[in-house]
Amino acid sequence: MKIAIISDTHLGYARFEDDAAEQAESAFLDAAKKSDLILYAGDVFDVKIPRLETMRHAVDMLRKVGTSGVPIYAIHGNHERRSRDMVNPVQLLASTGVLNYIHGSGTVFEKNTERIFIFGMGSVPEDLAATALKTAVGRVEVPSGMLRILMIHQTIKDFSLGGEKDLTMDEISGLPFDLIVNGHIHKTIINHEENVLIPGSTVITQLKEDETAPRGYLVFDTATKKADFVEIPHRKFLYAELKFSLASMEDVRNAAMEKLAELKKLAEGAKKQPIIRIKLFGTLKEGIRPSDLFISADGAFIDNQLNRSKSNADFSLPSTPSGRTGTVTEIAISLLRNKIKDRMKLLDPAILFDKVSNDVEGASEYLKSVGNSS
Ligand SMILES: [Mn+2]
């Protein structure tokens, strides 16, 4: 049996919306030809409430896969996570019949007498992941005598720089699964020793060095127990860092232009203009301010970090009580969850924040209902 694994398509991603759409479609149509089923490991969309145009494209695209008879099993990612009483966009896709949403549930897939078991858990806040996973898996009967796959969308500490409370392989390997499929991490990782498969994103969204490798998806063969990376046509991302020491304007400008020409050469003949990012750091000659620097770089992002001390160059959001960073909402939820710990049982900060950002009246109704019943 051939299992395709696709993740982090970020449909609707505003900066490179066409890339997100075209590259996801390339991956899915190709995977439909090369596999018996497709696992979709979350961040299908870039936002919790996608535009209707984005939604329609997703339905049309996945329906094409459906006509080839290849089923899709999906979970939500952190970008589309909503509270329990709300509908997330992956659930909505499931309602249209183009995919199966398997958050918190397991299913057996059978083809030509070969059977596999797939259990999915969509993204949960990182500090709750280990507990949530254990609880969710504990609720189902995991069969034996077949390949058992766990599909999640989390940071796994062993494979990515993250916070202290992130999920670890130790916590996962105690569970009854033979293969771990993970989304969330945008870099492709095939680790046969640990039985971990991470396809990486099909589109560039973070502009980090992690995303400079080719974009694509994975095909796992249950006979050989090996996964292959399948590259899809994609826009190239080229990234370079230049370090200076007491440099003049001319030094910086020349080095940047030279690097830019070098990078452009690498992408010669590419169908789509590459995304180029050059990070400048280090120090300038006395009397020159970084803001004086102007480089006309024709389509490239010049990330000017010159004369920044380490502390402000690594500007990041305040950490949560568990020591990790996240989106503003994630941090707020985590702070509030900590504040009300052991004091208010009925208030779920995630629901409150979802309601505040989507429906203010609903938020006050929610607060009233929590107040009345406690
Ligand atoms: Mn993602």
Side-chain angles (χ1 to χ4, degrees):
M1 193 186 291
K2 299 257 174 72
I3 304 167
I5 307 160
I6 300 176
S7 191
D8 294 80
T9 48
H10 286 266
L11 297 171
Y13 177 59
R15 195 180 209 168
F16 305 116
E17 194 168 346
D18 292 346
D19 288 4
E22 288 163 22
Q23 291 169 203
E25 186 145 346
S26 294
F28 270 97
L29 298 186
D30 195 54
K33 286 185 235 150
K34 293 178 179 159
S35 63
D36 301 301
L37 77 155
I38 299 174
L39 303 183
Y40 202 171
D43 281 3
V44 170
F45 297 101
D46 194 58
V47 292
K48 293 175 210 287
I49 305 179
R51 292 185 306 123
L52 294 178
E53 289 74 16
T54 308
M55 194 53 101
R56 184 168 78 176
H57 168 256
V59 172
D60 288 348
M61 170 182 89
L62 298 172
R63 191 159 280 150
K64 283 182 208 162
V65 178
T67 58
S68 67
V70 176
I72 301 168
Y73 296 91
I75 54 173
H76 65 266
N78 54 314
H79 279 251
E80 49 224 346
R81 187 170 71 218
R82 303 187 77 210
S83 51
R84 219 164 299 159
D85 61 339
M86 290 178 161
V87 178
N88 75 50
V90 187
Q91 282 174 301
L92 191 64
L93 285 181
S95 295
T96 70
V98 295
L99 55 75
N100 306 288
Y101 180 64
I102 58 163
H103 171 59
S105 66
T107 185
V108 172
F109 174 78
E110 181 169 356
K111 179 140 187 196
N112 303 332
T113 72
E114 184 184 358
R115 297 202 292 170
I116 61 164
F117 177 74
I118 315 144
F119 182 85
M121 186 181 82
S123 164
V124 298
E126 302 290 358
D127 50 341
L128 306 177
T131 314
L133 194 51
K134 220 175 145 188
T135 312
V137 174
R139 283 200 203 105
V140 296
E141 188 97 27
V142 179
S144 52
M146 63 182 84
L147 179 78
R148 298 159 305 177
I149 302 172
L150 170 68
M151 175 160 65
I152 52 177
H153 186 101
Q154 300 293 150
T155 302
I156 301 178
K157 211 177 176 182
D158 312 57
F159 296 103
S160 179
L161 290 174
E164 247 166 60
K165 295 288 170 84
D166 291 344
L167 197 59
T168 63
M169 279 311 290
D170 269 353
E171 285 159 335
I172 297 173
S173 56
L175 300 168
F177 297 100
D178 309 301
L179 184 65
I180 314 302
V181 165
N182 188 31
H184 194 52
I185 296 171
H186 281 200
K187 179 181 174 177
T188 306
I189 294 171
I190 298 177
N191 187 320
H192 287 126
E193 288 73 46
E194 304 258 25
N195 298 313
V196 172
L197 299 177
I198 302 173
S201 65
T202 54
V203 63
I204 284 144
T205 66
Q206 297 171 344
L207 296 183
K208 283 196 210 154
E209 201 164 9
D210 261 13
E211 295 178 322
T212 50
R215 303 289 94 195
Y217 70 97
L218 303 180
V219 178
F220 179 79
D221 187 337
T222 58
T224 62
K225 303 233 179 311
K226 292 270 181 287
D228 284 318
F229 177 75
V230 183
E231 188 173 335
I232 52 166
H234 65 282
R235 190 188 299 276
K236 277 208 166 71
F237 173 51
L238 307 166
Y239 176 79
E241 293 183 352
L242 293 175
K243 189 174 181 180
F244 298 92
S245 176
L246 301 174
S248 70
M249 281 304 180
E250 273 317 290
D251 295 340
V252 177
R253 203 171 286 133
N254 290 340
M257 294 318 282
E258 200 175 303
K259 185 50 90 180
L260 184 61
E262 195 186 302
L263 292 175
K264 278 191 169 163
K265 244 198 167 118
L266 288 175
E268 251 171 21
K271 263 196 201 141
K272 289 179 172 178
Q273 179 113 2
I275 298 156
I276 300 177
R277 180 177 174 209
I278 300 174
K279 183 174 164 187
L280 312 175
F281 66 109
T283 54
L284 288 167
K285 251 188 197 159
E286 214 172 307
I288 314 174
R289 288 172 306 177
S291 57
D292 295 337
L293 183 74
F294 176 76
I295 299 176
S296 160
D298 179 32
F301 296 101
I302 301 288
D303 179 9
N304 184 350
Q305 302 279 344
L306 288 158
N307 277 9
R308 297 240 186 137
S309 64
K310 183 94 185 92
S311 57
N312 62 29
D314 287 343
F315 170 79
S316 57
L317 291 163
S319 357
T320 61
S322 63
R324 64 177 310 281
T325 57
T327 64
V328 173
T329 312
E330 278 167 350
I331 290 165
I333 289 173
S334 181
L335 287 170
L336 186 56
R337 185 173 279 132
N338 236 42
K339 273 240 157 75
I340 63 171
K341 203 174 169 189
D342 304 323
R343 280 195 277 165
M344 288 176 78
K345 287 214 162 50
L346 289 165
L347 178 85
D348 181 341
I351 296 180
L352 180 63
F353 276 87
D354 238 347
K355 293 214 189 269
V356 167
S357 48
N358 297 309
D359 138 47
V360 177
E361 262 173 47
S364 75
E365 285 294 311
Y366 177 64
L367 281 176
K368 263 186 227 155
S369 75
V370 171
N372 287 340
S373 46
S374 57

